[in-house]
Amino acid sequence: MSAGPEIVVLGDPAATAAERLVAAAGAGGHIALAGGSTPGSAYERAAALGSDWSSATLWFGDERCVPSDHEHSNFAMVRRALLDRLSGPVPDVHRIEVERAPLEAATVYEAALFEAFEGAMPELDLALLGLGPDAHTASLFEGQPALGERERLAVAVDSPGMAPLVARVTMTLPVLNAAREVVFLATGADKAEAARRAFASPADRRAPASLVRPVRGALRVLLDEAAASELPREAVAARSGGRAA
Ligand code: 6PG
């Protein structure tokens, strides 16, 4: 049985996320990056820390099926916030090939994962994940077949439960739960209920992030005070840069 999440409430959770990214990159790890808007500042901070990313391998927890220069593209956001800001040799980046049909893009992405991990279940060194206000993560949404997928490593999602309402490709729970370290980064009051449902409540398919419980890996949740505001005090392992734990 995996341990519960280590929930840490911080004045600047993006800085801690950046430190975890740099540690994994410097160790030449396989890192799955989160999409959306929250992690942008963590990527910028990580790039500014000036570590050596040349031996790291970057993946995407999920991608929107839009052109890779589109405003909703997670790859475009990572290129802007991280890749273009790295001073040294760039890491190996496995972009999800959104120019293909979603199903084909998922199949190609899964093949790349299997190849990188020699046919075994991928063991990511770090999976950075975000949290939607509906407690989704990656593109794993309530009521969608992707959430129940236990064989495939990556699947297409035709009807995401939240904007942008475009087809997605997402890593599945088996991959996320095989990671050596999962870090959630969530900020803002609009994530408070989702954080309670995802990290301080029993696992529930209606809160997909609550199903991310690494089998052997560490699970860390980095929140600001606003995102942590609905958590019972005893659920928080540590607090800094704000109220006492
Ligand atoms: C995506 C993300 C998704 C995101 C949450 C939070 O592609 O949308 O992978 O899971 O992390 O929706 O998004 P924000 O950080 O923009 O609130």
Side-chain angles (χ1 to χ4, degrees), residues 35-39 62 64 74 130-132 136-139 168 191:
S37 56
T38 303
D62 73 324
R64 292 85 175 269
N74 288 335
L131 180 69
H136 84 266
T137 191
S139 282
R168 315 285 189 92
K191 304 296 174 74

Side-chain angles (χ1 to χ4, degrees), residues 15 181 185 194-195 201 221 223 226:
E181 178 183 12
L185 173 64
S201 306
V221 178
L223 305 173

